[in-house]
Amino acid sequence: MENALGDRMNGAEMAVLRSRLDGIVRKMSNTLLRTGRSGVLNRARDFSCCLLTRDGDLISAADSLPIHVLSGPDMMARSVLQFHPDQRAGDAFLHNSPYHGCSHPADLSVIAPVMDEHGNHRFTVLAKAHQADIGNSQPTTYMADAKDVYHEGALIFPGVQVQRNWEDIDDIIRMCEMRIRVPHQWRGDYLATVGAVRIGEKALTGLAAEIGWDRIESFAGQWFDYSETLMADAIARLPAGSVTGTSTHDPFPGFPGEGIRIEAKVDVDPVAGRVAVDLTDNPDCLPCGMNLSEACARTAAMIGVFNSIDHKVPKNAGSFRRIDIALRVGCIAGIPVHPFSCSAATTNIADRVANSVQTGLASLGEGIGMAEVGSVIAPSAGVISGVDPRTGQPFVNQIFLAMSGGAASPSSDAWWTIGHVGNAGLCCIDGVEMAELLQPIVVHSRAFLPDTEGAGTTNGAPSTIVEFGPLGADIDIGYLSDGHCNPPVGVRGGGSGGGADQYLIGRDGVSTPLDACAQVTIREGERIVAISCGGGGYGPAKARGADQVAEDVAGGLVSVARALDVYGVALADDGSVAATETAKLREAMA
């Protein structure tokens, strides 16, 4: 790596530097995981870190949530440069404005410039951490019914300076602590996020001392060009065509009675090596918290594309050059206009955008695209709050007791616990013991529901079911449970996954249905039952391997009756495949 600036690196040099830069981002992530105070960070891992050029081009976001980083960090970094053109070593900025590049207000980000020894801005490091509480008027970071950003009430920082010379600006900290319901928890999470950024700054400065700033910048340029070439090659293997994918969100507060139908027009030009996604023909922003930020609209479209091609294509500013996204100002899946709320921008409508793109691409031909990933947010992944009777102190935290939702791909069964399409399986499921230890709740049962998988040649995930309730005090829980009326669909002949549902079990044992989107109080002695969405299947179920179906039955995931009726697989008394009867059944189904 001692070549002079301008000499091209060989493959080995590129691989080593990529690994080292990814390692810096993973150090940042490990810092957040190990030092974050809230469960949403130190157990669920709902955060992302990334490294960008000075101009905001994404170099590495190793192990980060796609919905956080594919688009957004670039816009946030550029807006900070616009607001603060004269940056210095030791500066840091708070950013969570959905009108200036952030995903949604709950994703509070810390951004810092990385300077060389002469005070020149070389790179930018960013850490984004989902907050347990961001000061909303309700104790949840997903306010679906927020009529506007004022009703939402979140603290919003559009690139506000929070550190100078590596020291906190206490005025900003006091403002946050006065607004947040759990200020000590928030302060711990803030310090963890700043720590992640400073770890990244220190590690990158150390790498530059070893190989030189110019060498790292040279790598970034080559890395982008290489990634763009791989992206163009992957698109070249797709069939040419124009398709329109759709996905429908259930009725929610502020929505029309039939819900919201999201439409994505996708054009594939394999000769030019480009994919274009047009989201302009969608409804206007609505007086609720479900509007997408520009970052989430762009990212969701990109997720649908990347889910449909070779997974080995790097996700960075180079490969992004091959995706064209058309958005409309004032659109629910476009560019929001202040003061429309984007409280739930990372999840529900964003999931419908990504699903529209990947199911649309699946219709172009075999072997591409994906089925629909299940919708969120069931009460088993809701935000719970109250006063802990063990300490007398208030608590707020998003729990991750269960979520599945994984969609089938052309080549494999679903990754069951993907969470949702923007999460990509990177958030972790809470351990029952830890959830009960850290919040006053009892988890009475947790399981996968049989016969809820999206049946196909490859299968989608089954639904989860969780029953839990408070211990020693009442609790509030906020959730946005999409997917009951419109469960995740399969593609190319695949079946739909299980839908979402929720109900309350009273002290008398009577079950009462709960609204799909609500802030509900659960009294001591009551329980809530939460059913998450499964995921869609890919290809006809009758083409699934009969032995695979027998294994699913043996594992208690598929009933004998479903194996017979849906998959055309007959089983002997010992659970093995009855080959002759199965062949006849499948011939009749064909």
Side-chain angles (χ1 to χ4, degrees):
M1 297 185 195
E2 298 174 355
N3 299 337
L5 176 64
D7 293 348
R8 294 191 64 79
M9 300 180 192
N10 60 40
E13 290 175 317
M14 291 285 291
V16 168
L17 261 182
R18 178 196 178 176
S19 179
R20 292 196 66 175
L21 292 172
D22 285 351
I24 289 172
V25 176
R26 291 190 174 102
K27 284 182 180 180
M28 296 170 66
S29 297
N30 190 57
T31 301
L32 256 173
L33 179 66
R34 299 288 184 179
T35 62
R37 188 165 293 179
S38 66
V40 74
L41 299 185
N42 64 31
R43 297 196 307 279
R45 204 187 175 283
D46 192 353
F47 60 77
S48 296
C49 299
C50 57
L51 170 64
L52 306 108
T53 66
R54 178 195 181 279
D55 296 326
D57 294 326
L58 181 67
I59 300 172
S60 174
D63 303 336
S64 293
L65 278 60
I67 196 64
H68 280 171
V69 294
L70 295 191
S71 181
D74 53 345
M75 290 187 282
M76 286 194 289
R78 289 164 191 157
S79 67
V80 169
L81 272 177
Q82 177 187 349
F83 300 144
H84 304 275
D86 184 22
Q87 297 181 28
R88 301 171 184 269
D91 287 350
F93 305 90
L94 277 184
H95 201 323
N96 69 332
S97 170
Y99 314 107
H100 300 87
C102 196
S103 37
H104 71 148
D107 288 335
L108 191 60
S109 304
V110 176
I111 302 171
V114 182
M115 303 293 190
D116 66 17
E117 60 275 17
H118 304 295
N120 299 312
H121 185 175
R122 293 289 196 154
F123 294 92
T124 298
V125 285
L126 182 150
K128 175 182 286 192
H130 189 118
Q131 302 300 293
D133 178 32
I134 196 61
N136 284 356
S137 61
Q138 295 175 3
T140 176
T141 51
Y142 307 94
M143 266 192 71
D145 62 348
K147 295 179 177 61
D148 54 31
V149 70
Y150 308 114
H151 180 203
E152 180 184 349
L155 278 163
I156 294 182
F157 298 96
V160 173
Q161 188 162 5
V162 72
Q163 280 197 334
R164 185 177 293 114
N165 196 29
W166 294 280
E167 296 290 336
D168 285 344
I169 297 173
D170 290 337
D171 292 349
I172 305 297
I173 304 302
R174 287 197 304 275
M175 181 192 304
C176 294
E177 290 179 327
M178 286 297 292
R179 179 69 181 178
I180 300 298
R181 293 171 175 84
V182 281
H184 295 297
Q185 177 176 280
W186 175 85
R187 183 66 181 270
D189 288 347
Y190 162 75
L191 290 172
T193 311
V194 169
V197 162
R198 295 310 181 193
I199 286 288
E201 176 189 35
K202 181 179 180 180
L204 190 60
T205 302
L207 178 61
E210 180 183 338
I211 68 171
W213 290 107
D214 291 343
R215 197 71 185 140
I216 304 174
E217 288 183 352
S218 178
F219 163 82
Q222 283 188 236
W223 178 230
F224 294 153
D225 292 343
Y226 172 74
S227 301
E228 183 180 8
T229 299
L230 291 184
M231 185 67 168
D233 290 345
I235 295 171
R237 295 193 291 273
L238 299 178
S242 298
V243 295
T244 298
T246 63
S247 186
T248 302
H249 193 290
D250 289 358
F252 262 29
F255 280 12
E258 67 277 11
I260 292 287
R261 183 175 182 264
I262 294 297
E263 184 175 285
K265 298 174 182 176
V266 187
D267 291 297
V268 179
D269 186 343
V271 176
R274 306 198 71 83
V275 174
V277 180
D278 187 340
L279 299 176
T280 58
D281 193 16
N282 282 302
D284 291 342
C285 287
L286 292 171
C288 63
M290 307 296 287
N291 304 289
L292 297 193
S293 59
E294 181 180 355
C296 286
R298 291 189 181 279
T299 295
M302 294 164 74
I303 289 170
V305 172
F306 279 111
N307 281 353
S308 303
I309 63 171
D310 188 343
H311 70 277
K312 294 188 292 293
V313 176
K315 286 72 175 172
N316 61 40
S319 57
F320 300 166
R321 296 170 185 164
R322 292 286 169 163
I323 305 175
D324 302 308
I325 301 169
L327 301 178
R328 177 170 62 83
V329 175
C331 177
I332 192 172
I335 302 172
V337 178
H338 187 278
F340 282 103
S341 171
C342 302
S343 184
T346 56
T347 51
N348 298 54
I349 295 294
D351 291 353
R352 295 298 182 176
V353 169
N355 279 328
S356 296
V357 174
Q358 66 195 42
T359 58
L361 284 168
S363 68
L364 279 178
E366 288 289 347
I368 62 172
M370 283 181 72
E372 275 199 329
V373 175
S375 303
V376 289
I377 301 170
S380 53
V383 179
I384 65 171
S385 59
V387 176
D388 193 327
R390 299 167 297 184
T391 63
Q393 297 298 312
F395 69 92
V396 183
N397 195 56
Q398 185 175 1
I399 54 174
F400 287 75
L401 288 175
M403 50 187 178
S404 53
S409 77
S411 58
S412 66
D413 288 347
W415 182 347
W416 280 10
T417 55
I418 195 170
H420 69 110
V421 68
N423 181 317
L426 286 160
C427 281
C428 301
I429 304 297
D430 286 346
V432 168
E433 294 83 359
M434 291 299 293
E436 293 178 336
L437 179 65
L438 295 165
Q439 287 107 186
I441 62 172
V442 174
V443 180
H444 299 277
S445 64
R446 177 167 70 171
F448 288 103
L449 270 179
D451 290 351
T452 56
E453 84 294 350
T457 308
T458 54
N459 278 354
S463 295
T464 62
I465 181 169
V466 181
E467 183 178 326
F468 67 101
L471 180 66
D474 301 341
I475 62 171
D476 291 330
I477 180 164
Y479 58 89
L480 321 174
S481 188
D482 183 24
H484 177 75
C485 304
N486 297 283
V489 301
V491 294
R492 307 201 67 81
S496 296
D501 206 355
Q502 52 281 319
Y503 50 91
L504 182 71
I505 301 177
R507 294 168 182 166
D508 56 3
V510 175
S511 297
T512 305
L514 292 172
D515 291 340
C517 174
Q519 186 83 13
V520 176
T521 299
I522 312 297
R523 309 290 181 189
E524 187 179 9
E526 298 177 335
R527 303 179 184 183
I528 190 169
V529 176
I531 298 173
S532 74
C533 284
Y538 195 108
K542 65 179 181 293
R544 184 170 178 80
D547 289 338
Q548 288 178 288
V549 177
E551 289 178 6
D552 293 339
V553 173
L557 301 170
V558 174
S559 66
V560 172
R562 184 170 172 85
L564 198 68
D565 297 339
V566 174
Y567 295 93
V569 174
L571 301 176
D573 291 342
D574 63 357
S576 62
V577 177
T580 301
E581 187 177 351
T582 296
K584 290 179 180 178
L585 278 169
R586 290 191 157 183
E587 183 179 356
M589 293 172 75

